[in-house]
Amino acid sequence: MGERHTLQIIPRLTSVQEALDFISEWGAHYGLDEDAIYHCHLSVDEIITNVVEHGFEFDENAGFIRIEMEPMEGGVLIEVVDNAPLFNPLMHPTPDPSLPLLERENGGWGIHFVRKFMNSVTYHSTGGMNHLRMLKSTAPEA
Amino acid sequence: MNIQATNAGQITVLQASGRIDSMNAQQLADTFNAQISAGQTQLVLDLAGVDYMSSAGLRELVNALKKLKKVAGDLRLAQPSKRVREVMEMAGLDTIFLIFETSAEAIDSF
């Protein structure tokens, strides 16, 4: 366990880059390689986008999103915290990649990518806030 | 993201570069819609210069393909990077889109 670093952003799509820069900086500091940082970028991008679109419904004055990073044994913990209405994105059904074009509906792929790219993903709520915790291993992937 | 359109006969090649994410996916959608509105329905999207595509970008590829299929058109992809191909495969889009190694091959496939 190490020191936790926190970035708070306004819930809008143009804030995503700020979060990605924060992850680049601390991810590299904590030993994530380029591929691992890319996986963290895509995952955090997908989560923030979901929270902005569906949680806050594009109302940038409705609350905040916080990104927290902390080194763990063998990896890095990234936690996205927001005060949008409580919603567990992990309860969203995984879309079916075998569906033909015309049967496909928009949505659901972002959290699917998060599950695939991060080593563990868990959700809990506390104090009226959503917490999505993700662990990314510092070990190179096979 | 930057997108440049070039006509090759009836086919339009859209050369994209940079990142395609939730911040600019609408720009990609607007580009497809402008082509379809202008009657250009045989499109090649060259992804050689795209190093990052989130689900917001994939969503616009699927939306465009649905619109094009309705007017007997098609959107074919060329030169996706390893990372873009990976997310496409995760979403099963590699079985829905025709994907080519080069723009020239994509053009010749029409």
Side-chain angles (χ1 to χ4, degrees), chain A residues 13-17 20 34-35 38-39 41-43 45-46 49 53-54 96-107 109-110 112-113 116-117, chain B residues 19-23 51-56 58-63 65-67 69-70 82-84 86-93 95-97:
Chain A
L13 296 179
T14 50
S15 296
V16 171
Q17 190 58 51
L20 302 191
E34 192 188 334
D35 282 341
Y38 159 69
H39 291 157
H41 275 184
L42 195 80
S43 299
D45 179 348
E46 297 289 0
T49 298
E53 288 184 3
H54 305 295
D96 180 356
S98 68
L99 278 182
L101 178 67
L102 295 179
E103 288 177 33
R104 283 176 173 254
E105 293 179 3
N106 285 335
W109 291 109
H112 178 63
F113 295 160
K116 291 281 189 184
F117 282 144
Chain B
R19 299 164 57 91
I20 303 178
D21 55 25
S22 57
M23 282 175 277
D51 53 5
Y52 180 104
M53 191 182 300
S54 73
S55 65
L58 297 181
R59 182 170 57 199
E60 297 311 333
L61 296 186
V62 169
N63 287 341
L65 187 60
K66 283 181 178 174
K67 287 177 189 172
K69 290 288 187 186
K70 282 183 187 165
K82 188 178 159 208
R83 286 177 175 173
V84 171
E86 183 182 29
V87 291
M88 293 196 71
E89 286 173 358
M90 282 183 186
L93 296 182
T95 61
I96 284 184
F97 285 91

Coordinates of all heavy atoms in Angstrom, one line a residue, chain A residues 13-17 20 34-35 38-39 41-43 45-46 49 53-54 96-107 109-110 112-113 116-117, chain B residues 19-23 51-56 58-63 65-67 69-70 82-84 86-93 95-97:
Chain A
L13 N -17.3 15.5 -21.1 CA -16.4 14.6 -21.9 C -15.0 15.3 -22.1 O -14.0 14.6 -22.2 CB -17.1 14.3 -23.3 CG -18.4 13.5 -23.2 CD1 -19.0 13.3 -24.6 CD2 -18.1 12.2 -22.5
T14 N -15.0 16.6 -22.1 CA -13.7 17.3 -22.4 C -12.8 17.1 -21.2 O -11.6 17.5 -21.2 CB -13.9 18.7 -22.7 OG1 -14.8 19.3 -21.7 CG2 -14.5 18.9 -24.1
S15 N -13.3 16.6 -20.1 CA -12.4 16.4 -18.9 C -11.7 15.0 -19.0 O -10.8 14.8 -18.2 CB -13.2 16.4 -17.6 OG -13.8 17.6 -17.4
V16 N -12.1 14.2 -19.9 CA -11.5 12.8 -20.0 C -10.0 12.9 -20.2 O -9.2 12.2 -19.5 CB -12.1 12.0 -21.2 CG1 -11.3 10.7 -21.4 CG2 -13.6 11.7 -20.9
Q17 N -9.5 13.9 -21.0 CA -8.1 13.9 -21.3 C -7.3 14.2 -20.0 O -6.2 13.7 -19.8 CB -7.8 15.0 -22.3 CG -6.4 15.0 -22.8 CD -5.9 13.7 -23.4 OE1 -6.6 13.1 -24.3 NE2 -4.8 13.1 -23.0
L20 N -6.8 11.1 -18.3 CA -5.9 10.2 -18.9 C -4.4 10.7 -18.7 O -3.5 9.8 -18.5 CB -6.1 10.1 -20.4 CG -7.5 9.6 -20.8 CD1 -7.6 9.3 -22.3 CD2 -8.0 8.4 -20.0
E34 N 3.7 0.5 -21.3 CA 2.9 1.3 -22.2 C 1.6 0.6 -22.5 O 0.5 1.3 -22.6 CB 3.7 1.5 -23.5 CG 3.1 2.5 -24.5 CD 3.9 2.4 -25.8 OE1 5.0 2.0 -25.9 OE2 3.2 2.8 -26.8
D35 N 1.6 -0.7 -22.7 CA 0.3 -1.4 -23.0 C -0.6 -1.3 -21.8 O -1.8 -1.1 -21.9 CB 0.6 -2.9 -23.3 CG 1.1 -3.1 -24.7 OD1 0.9 -2.2 -25.5 OD2 1.7 -4.1 -25.0
Y38 N -2.2 2.0 -21.7 CA -3.2 2.1 -22.7 C -4.5 1.4 -22.2 O -5.6 1.9 -22.4 CB -2.7 1.5 -24.0 CG -3.9 1.0 -24.9 CD1 -4.6 2.0 -25.6 CD2 -4.1 -0.3 -25.1 CE1 -5.7 1.6 -26.4 CE2 -5.2 -0.7 -26.0 CZ -5.9 0.2 -26.6 OH -7.0 -0.2 -27.4
H39 N -4.4 0.2 -21.6 CA -5.6 -0.5 -21.1 C -6.3 0.4 -20.0 O -7.5 0.4 -19.9 CB -5.2 -1.8 -20.5 CG -4.7 -2.8 -21.5 ND1 -3.9 -3.9 -21.2 CD2 -5.0 -2.9 -22.9 CE1 -3.7 -4.6 -22.3 NE2 -4.3 -4.0 -23.3
H41 N -6.1 3.7 -19.8 CA -6.7 4.8 -20.5 C -8.1 4.4 -21.0 O -9.1 5.1 -20.8 CB -5.8 5.2 -21.6 CG -4.7 6.2 -21.2 ND1 -3.9 6.7 -22.1 CD2 -4.4 6.7 -20.0 CE1 -3.0 7.5 -21.5 NE2 -3.3 7.5 -20.2
L42 N -8.1 3.3 -21.8 CA -9.4 3.0 -22.4 C -10.5 2.7 -21.4 O -11.6 3.1 -21.5 CB -9.2 1.8 -23.3 CG -10.3 1.6 -24.3 CD1 -10.2 2.5 -25.5 CD2 -10.4 0.1 -24.8
S43 N -10.1 2.0 -20.3 CA -11.0 1.7 -19.3 C -11.6 2.9 -18.6 O -12.8 3.1 -18.4 CB -10.4 0.7 -18.2 OG -10.0 -0.5 -18.9
D45 N -11.5 6.0 -19.7 CA -12.3 6.7 -20.7 C -13.7 6.2 -20.8 O -14.7 7.0 -20.7 CB -11.6 6.6 -22.1 CG -12.2 7.3 -23.2 OD1 -13.4 7.7 -23.1 OD2 -11.6 7.3 -24.3
E46 N -13.9 4.9 -20.9 CA -15.2 4.3 -21.0 C -16.0 4.6 -19.7 O -17.2 4.9 -19.8 CB -15.1 2.7 -21.2 CG -14.4 2.3 -22.4 CD -15.2 2.6 -23.7 OE1 -16.3 3.1 -23.7 OE2 -14.6 2.2 -24.8
T49 N -17.0 8.3 -19.6 CA -18.0 8.6 -20.6 C -19.4 8.1 -20.2 O -20.4 8.8 -20.3 CB -17.6 7.9 -21.9 OG1 -16.3 8.5 -22.4 CG2 -18.6 8.1 -23.0
E53 N -22.5 10.6 -19.5 CA -23.7 10.4 -20.4 C -24.9 9.9 -19.7 O -26.0 10.5 -19.8 CB -23.4 9.4 -21.6 CG -22.4 10.0 -22.6 CD -22.2 9.0 -23.8 OE1 -22.8 7.9 -23.8 OE2 -21.4 9.3 -24.6
H54 N -24.7 8.9 -18.9 CA -25.9 8.2 -18.3 C -26.1 8.6 -16.8 O -27.2 8.7 -16.3 CB -25.8 6.7 -18.4 CG -25.6 6.2 -19.8 ND1 -26.6 6.4 -20.7 CD2 -24.5 5.7 -20.4 CE1 -26.1 5.9 -21.9 NE2 -24.9 5.5 -21.7
D96 N -23.7 -9.4 -26.8 CA -23.3 -10.6 -27.5 C -22.5 -10.3 -28.7 O -23.1 -9.7 -29.7 CB -24.6 -11.4 -27.8 CG -24.3 -12.7 -28.6 OD1 -23.1 -13.0 -28.9 OD2 -25.3 -13.4 -28.9
P97 N -21.2 -10.6 -28.8 CA -20.4 -10.2 -29.9 C -20.8 -11.0 -31.2 O -20.3 -10.7 -32.3 CB -19.0 -10.5 -29.5 CG -19.1 -11.5 -28.4 CD -20.4 -11.3 -27.7
S98 N -21.6 -12.0 -31.0 CA -21.9 -12.8 -32.2 C -23.2 -12.3 -32.9 O -23.6 -12.9 -33.9 CB -22.1 -14.3 -31.9 OG -23.2 -14.5 -31.0
L99 N -23.8 -11.3 -32.3 CA -25.1 -10.8 -33.0 C -24.8 -10.2 -34.3 O -23.8 -9.5 -34.6 CB -25.7 -9.7 -32.1 CG -26.5 -10.2 -30.9 CD1 -27.1 -8.9 -30.2 CD2 -27.6 -11.1 -31.3
P100 N -25.8 -10.5 -35.3 CA -25.6 -9.9 -36.6 C -25.9 -8.4 -36.5 O -26.4 -7.9 -35.6 CB -26.7 -10.6 -37.4 CG -27.6 -11.2 -36.5 CD -26.9 -11.4 -35.2
L101 N -25.4 -7.7 -37.6 CA -25.5 -6.2 -37.6 C -26.8 -5.6 -37.2 O -26.9 -4.8 -36.3 CB -25.1 -5.7 -39.0 CG -25.1 -4.2 -39.2 CD1 -24.0 -3.6 -38.4 CD2 -25.0 -3.9 -40.7
L102 N -27.9 -6.1 -37.8 CA -29.2 -5.4 -37.6 C -29.7 -5.7 -36.2 O -30.7 -5.0 -35.8 CB -30.1 -5.8 -38.7 CG -29.7 -5.3 -40.1 CD1 -30.7 -5.7 -41.1 CD2 -29.5 -3.8 -40.1
E103 N -29.2 -6.7 -35.5 CA -29.7 -7.0 -34.2 C -28.9 -6.3 -33.1 O -29.2 -6.4 -31.9 CB -29.7 -8.5 -33.9 CG -30.8 -9.2 -34.7 CD -30.7 -10.7 -34.6 OE1 -30.4 -11.2 -33.5 OE2 -31.0 -11.4 -35.5
R104 N -27.9 -5.6 -33.5 CA -27.0 -5.0 -32.5 C -27.6 -3.7 -32.0 O -28.1 -2.9 -32.8 CB -25.7 -4.7 -33.1 CG -24.8 -5.9 -33.2 CD -23.5 -5.6 -33.9 NE -22.7 -6.8 -33.8 CZ -21.7 -7.0 -33.0 NH1 -21.2 -6.0 -32.3 NH2 -21.0 -8.1 -32.9
E105 N -27.5 -3.5 -30.7 CA -28.0 -2.2 -30.1 C -26.7 -1.5 -29.6 O -25.7 -2.1 -29.3 CB -28.9 -2.5 -29.0 CG -30.3 -3.1 -29.4 CD -31.2 -3.3 -28.3 OE1 -30.9 -3.0 -27.2 OE2 -32.3 -3.9 -28.6
N106 N -26.9 -0.2 -29.5 CA -25.8 0.6 -29.0 C -25.6 0.4 -27.5 O -26.5 0.1 -26.8 CB -26.0 2.1 -29.2 CG -25.8 2.5 -30.7 OD1 -25.0 1.8 -31.4 ND2 -26.5 3.5 -31.1
G107 N -24.4 0.5 -27.1 CA -24.1 0.4 -25.6 C -23.7 -0.9 -25.1 O -23.9 -2.0 -25.7
W109 N -20.6 -2.0 -24.6 CA -19.3 -2.5 -24.9 C -18.2 -1.9 -24.0 O -17.2 -2.5 -23.8 CB -18.9 -2.2 -26.4 CG -19.8 -3.1 -27.3 CD1 -20.8 -2.7 -28.1 CD2 -19.7 -4.5 -27.4 NE1 -21.3 -3.8 -28.7 CE2 -20.7 -4.9 -28.3 CE3 -18.9 -5.5 -26.9 CZ2 -20.9 -6.2 -28.7 CZ3 -19.1 -6.8 -27.2 CH2 -20.1 -7.2 -28.1
G110 N -18.4 -0.7 -23.6 CA -17.4 0.0 -22.8 C -17.1 -0.8 -21.5 O -15.9 -1.1 -21.3
H112 N -17.6 -3.9 -21.0 CA -17.0 -5.1 -21.5 C -15.5 -5.0 -21.7 O -14.7 -5.8 -21.2 CB -17.7 -5.5 -22.8 CG -17.2 -6.8 -23.4 ND1 -17.3 -8.0 -22.7 CD2 -16.6 -7.1 -24.6 CE1 -16.8 -9.0 -23.5 NE2 -16.4 -8.4 -24.6
F113 N -15.1 -3.9 -22.3 CA -13.7 -3.6 -22.5 C -13.0 -3.5 -21.1 O -11.8 -4.0 -20.9 CB -13.4 -2.4 -23.3 CG -13.9 -2.5 -24.7 CD1 -14.2 -1.4 -25.5 CD2 -14.2 -3.7 -25.3 CE1 -14.6 -1.4 -26.8 CE2 -14.7 -3.8 -26.6 CZ -14.9 -2.7 -27.4
K116 N -12.3 -6.8 -19.7 CA -11.3 -7.5 -20.4 C -9.9 -6.9 -20.1 O -8.9 -7.7 -20.1 CB -11.5 -7.4 -21.9 CG -12.8 -8.2 -22.3 CD -12.4 -9.7 -22.4 CE -13.6 -10.5 -23.0 NZ -13.3 -11.9 -23.0
F117 N -9.8 -5.6 -20.0 CA -8.5 -5.0 -20.0 C -7.9 -4.9 -18.6 O -6.7 -4.7 -18.4 CB -8.5 -3.6 -20.6 CG -8.5 -3.6 -22.1 CD1 -9.2 -2.7 -22.9 CD2 -7.7 -4.5 -22.8 CE1 -9.2 -2.7 -24.3 CE2 -7.7 -4.5 -24.2 CZ -8.4 -3.6 -24.9
Chain B
R19 N -6.9 10.0 -32.4 CA -7.8 9.1 -31.5 C -9.2 9.3 -31.9 O -9.7 10.4 -32.2 CB -7.6 9.6 -30.0 CG -6.2 9.5 -29.5 CD -6.1 10.4 -28.3 NE -7.0 10.0 -27.2 CZ -6.7 9.1 -26.3 NH1 -5.6 8.5 -26.3 NH2 -7.6 8.8 -25.4
I20 N -10.0 8.2 -31.7 CA -11.4 8.3 -31.9 C -12.0 7.8 -30.6 O -11.9 6.7 -30.2 CB -11.9 7.4 -33.1 CG1 -11.2 7.7 -34.4 CG2 -13.4 7.5 -33.2 CD1 -11.5 6.9 -35.6
D21 N -12.7 8.8 -29.9 CA -13.3 8.5 -28.6 C -14.6 9.3 -28.5 O -15.1 9.9 -29.4 CB -12.2 8.9 -27.5 CG -11.7 10.3 -27.7 OD1 -12.5 11.2 -28.2 OD2 -10.6 10.6 -27.2
S22 N -15.1 9.3 -27.2 CA -16.4 10.0 -27.0 C -16.3 11.5 -27.3 O -17.4 12.1 -27.6 CB -16.8 9.7 -25.6 OG -15.8 10.2 -24.7
M23 N -15.1 12.1 -27.2 CA -15.0 13.5 -27.5 C -15.2 13.9 -28.9 O -15.6 15.0 -29.3 CB -13.7 14.0 -26.9 CG -13.7 14.2 -25.4 SD -12.0 14.7 -24.8 CE -11.2 13.1 -24.7
D51 N -4.7 5.3 -33.6 CA -4.0 4.5 -32.6 C -4.9 4.2 -31.4 O -4.5 3.4 -30.5 CB -2.7 5.1 -32.1 CG -2.9 6.5 -31.6 OD1 -4.1 7.0 -31.6 OD2 -1.9 7.2 -31.3
Y52 N -6.1 4.7 -31.4 CA -7.0 4.5 -30.2 C -8.4 4.7 -30.6 O -8.8 5.7 -31.2 CB -6.6 5.6 -29.2 CG -7.4 5.6 -27.9 CD1 -6.8 5.2 -26.7 CD2 -8.7 6.1 -27.8 CE1 -7.4 5.2 -25.5 CE2 -9.3 6.2 -26.6 CZ -8.7 5.7 -25.4 OH -9.4 5.8 -24.2
M53 N -9.2 3.7 -30.3 CA -10.6 3.8 -30.6 C -11.4 3.2 -29.4 O -11.3 2.0 -29.1 CB -11.0 3.1 -31.9 CG -12.5 3.4 -32.3 SD -13.1 2.6 -33.8 CE -12.0 3.2 -35.0
S54 N -12.3 4.0 -28.8 CA -13.1 3.6 -27.7 C -14.4 3.1 -28.3 O -14.7 3.1 -29.5 CB -13.3 4.7 -26.7 OG -14.2 5.6 -27.2
S55 N -15.3 2.6 -27.4 CA -16.6 2.1 -27.8 C -17.4 3.2 -28.5 O -18.3 2.8 -29.3 CB -17.3 1.5 -26.7 OG -17.7 2.4 -25.7
A56 N -17.2 4.4 -28.2 CA -17.9 5.5 -28.9 C -17.6 5.5 -30.4 O -18.5 5.8 -31.2 CB -17.6 6.9 -28.2
L58 N -16.5 2.8 -32.1 CA -17.1 1.6 -32.7 C -18.6 1.8 -32.9 O -19.1 1.3 -33.9 CB -16.9 0.4 -31.7 CG -15.4 0.1 -31.4 CD1 -15.3 -1.1 -30.5 CD2 -14.6 -0.3 -32.7
R59 N -19.2 2.4 -32.0 CA -20.7 2.6 -32.1 C -21.0 3.4 -33.4 O -21.9 3.0 -34.2 CB -21.2 3.5 -30.9 CG -22.7 3.7 -30.9 CD -23.1 4.3 -29.6 NE -22.4 5.5 -29.2 CZ -22.3 6.0 -28.0 NH1 -22.8 5.4 -27.0 NH2 -21.7 7.2 -27.8
E60 N -20.2 4.4 -33.8 CA -20.5 5.2 -35.0 C -20.1 4.3 -36.3 O -20.8 4.5 -37.3 CB -19.7 6.5 -35.0 CG -20.1 7.4 -33.9 CD -21.6 7.6 -33.7 OE1 -22.3 7.5 -34.8 OE2 -22.0 7.9 -32.6
L61 N -19.2 3.4 -36.2 CA -18.9 2.5 -37.3 C -20.1 1.7 -37.6 O -20.6 1.5 -38.7 CB -17.7 1.6 -37.0 CG -16.3 2.3 -36.9 CD1 -15.2 1.2 -36.8 CD2 -16.0 3.2 -38.0
V62 N -20.7 1.1 -36.5 CA -21.9 0.2 -36.6 C -23.1 1.0 -37.1 O -23.8 0.6 -38.0 CB -22.2 -0.5 -35.3 CG1 -23.5 -1.2 -35.3 CG2 -21.1 -1.4 -34.9
N63 N -23.3 2.2 -36.6 CA -24.4 3.0 -37.0 C -24.3 3.4 -38.5 O -25.3 3.3 -39.3 CB -24.5 4.4 -36.2 CG -25.0 4.1 -34.8 OD1 -25.6 3.1 -34.5 ND2 -24.7 5.1 -33.9
L65 N -22.6 1.7 -40.8 CA -22.8 0.4 -41.6 C -24.3 0.1 -41.8 O -24.7 -0.3 -42.8 CB -22.0 -0.7 -41.0 CG -22.0 -2.0 -41.8 CD1 -21.3 -1.8 -43.2 CD2 -21.3 -3.1 -41.1
K66 N -25.0 0.3 -40.7 CA -26.5 0.0 -40.7 C -27.1 0.9 -41.8 O -28.0 0.5 -42.6 CB -27.1 0.2 -39.4 CG -26.9 -0.9 -38.4 CD -27.6 -0.5 -37.1 CE -27.4 -1.6 -36.0 NZ -28.0 -1.2 -34.7
K67 N -26.8 2.2 -41.8 CA -27.4 3.2 -42.7 C -27.0 2.8 -44.1 O -27.8 2.8 -45.1 CB -26.9 4.6 -42.4 CG -27.5 5.2 -41.2 CD -26.9 6.5 -40.9 CE -27.4 7.0 -39.5 NZ -26.7 8.3 -39.1
K69 N -26.1 -0.1 -45.4 CA -26.7 -1.4 -45.9 C -28.1 -1.2 -46.4 O -28.6 -1.8 -47.3 CB -26.7 -2.4 -44.7 CG -25.3 -3.0 -44.4 CD -24.7 -3.9 -45.5 CE -23.4 -4.5 -45.0 NZ -22.7 -5.3 -46.1
K70 N -28.8 -0.2 -45.7 CA -30.2 0.1 -46.1 C -30.2 0.7 -47.5 O -31.3 0.6 -48.2 CB -30.8 1.1 -45.2 CG -31.2 0.5 -43.9 CD -31.9 1.5 -43.0 CE -32.2 0.8 -41.6 NZ -32.5 1.8 -40.6
K82 N -3.1 -2.7 -34.4 CA -3.3 -3.9 -33.6 C -4.3 -3.6 -32.4 O -5.2 -4.4 -32.1 CB -1.9 -4.3 -32.9 CG -1.9 -5.6 -32.2 CD -0.5 -5.8 -31.7 CE -0.6 -6.8 -30.5 NZ 0.5 -6.7 -29.6
R83 N -4.2 -2.4 -31.9 CA -5.1 -2.0 -30.8 C -6.5 -1.8 -31.3 O -7.4 -2.2 -30.6 CB -4.6 -0.7 -30.1 CG -3.3 -1.0 -29.2 CD -2.8 0.3 -28.6 NE -1.7 -0.1 -27.7 CZ -0.9 0.8 -27.1 NH1 -1.1 2.1 -27.3 NH2 0.0 0.4 -26.3
V84 N -6.7 -1.2 -32.4 CA -8.0 -1.0 -32.9 C -8.6 -2.3 -33.3 O -9.8 -2.6 -33.0 CB -8.0 0.0 -34.1 CG1 -9.4 0.0 -34.8 CG2 -7.6 1.4 -33.6
E86 N -8.0 -5.1 -32.0 CA -8.3 -5.9 -30.8 C -9.7 -5.5 -30.2 O -10.4 -6.4 -29.9 CB -7.2 -5.6 -29.7 CG -7.4 -6.4 -28.4 CD -6.3 -6.0 -27.4 OE1 -5.8 -4.9 -27.4 OE2 -6.0 -6.9 -26.6
V87 N -10.0 -4.2 -30.1 CA -11.3 -3.9 -29.6 C -12.4 -4.3 -30.6 O -13.5 -4.7 -30.2 CB -11.4 -2.4 -29.2 CG1 -10.6 -2.1 -28.0 CG2 -11.1 -1.4 -30.3
M88 N -12.1 -4.2 -31.9 CA -13.1 -4.7 -32.9 C -13.4 -6.2 -32.7 O -14.5 -6.6 -32.7 CB -12.6 -4.4 -34.3 CG -12.5 -2.9 -34.6 SD -12.4 -2.6 -36.3 CE -14.1 -3.0 -36.8
E89 N -12.3 -6.9 -32.5 CA -12.5 -8.4 -32.3 C -13.3 -8.7 -31.0 O -14.2 -9.5 -30.9 CB -11.2 -9.1 -32.2 CG -10.5 -9.2 -33.6 CD -9.1 -9.7 -33.6 OE1 -8.6 -10.0 -32.5 OE2 -8.5 -9.8 -34.7
M90 N -13.0 -7.9 -29.9 CA -13.7 -8.1 -28.7 C -15.2 -7.9 -28.8 O -16.0 -8.5 -28.2 CB -13.2 -7.1 -27.6 CG -11.9 -7.5 -27.0 SD -11.5 -6.3 -25.7 CE -9.9 -6.8 -25.2
A91 N -15.6 -6.9 -29.7 CA -17.0 -6.6 -29.9 C -17.6 -7.4 -31.1 O -18.7 -7.2 -31.4 CB -17.1 -5.1 -30.2
G92 N -16.8 -8.3 -31.6 CA -17.3 -9.2 -32.7 C -17.4 -8.4 -34.0 O -18.1 -8.9 -35.0
L93 N -16.8 -7.3 -34.1 CA -17.0 -6.5 -35.4 C -16.1 -6.9 -36.5 O -16.3 -6.6 -37.7 CB -16.7 -5.0 -35.1 CG -17.7 -4.3 -34.1 CD1 -17.4 -2.9 -33.9 CD2 -19.1 -4.5 -34.6
T95 N -16.2 -9.7 -37.7 CA -17.0 -10.6 -38.5 C -18.1 -9.9 -39.2 O -18.8 -10.4 -40.0 CB -17.7 -11.7 -37.6 OG1 -18.5 -11.1 -36.6 CG2 -16.7 -12.6 -36.9
I96 N -18.3 -8.6 -38.9 CA -19.4 -7.8 -39.5 C -18.8 -6.9 -40.6 O -19.5 -6.6 -41.6 CB -20.1 -7.0 -38.4 CG1 -21.0 -8.0 -37.6 CG2 -20.9 -5.8 -38.9 CD1 -21.8 -7.4 -36.6
F97 N -17.6 -6.4 -40.3 CA -17.0 -5.5 -41.3 C -16.0 -6.3 -42.2 O -15.3 -7.2 -41.7 CB -16.2 -4.4 -40.6 CG -17.0 -3.3 -40.1 CD1 -17.5 -3.4 -38.7 CD2 -17.4 -2.2 -40.8 CE1 -18.3 -2.4 -38.2 CE2 -18.2 -1.2 -40.3 CZ -18.6 -1.3 -39.0

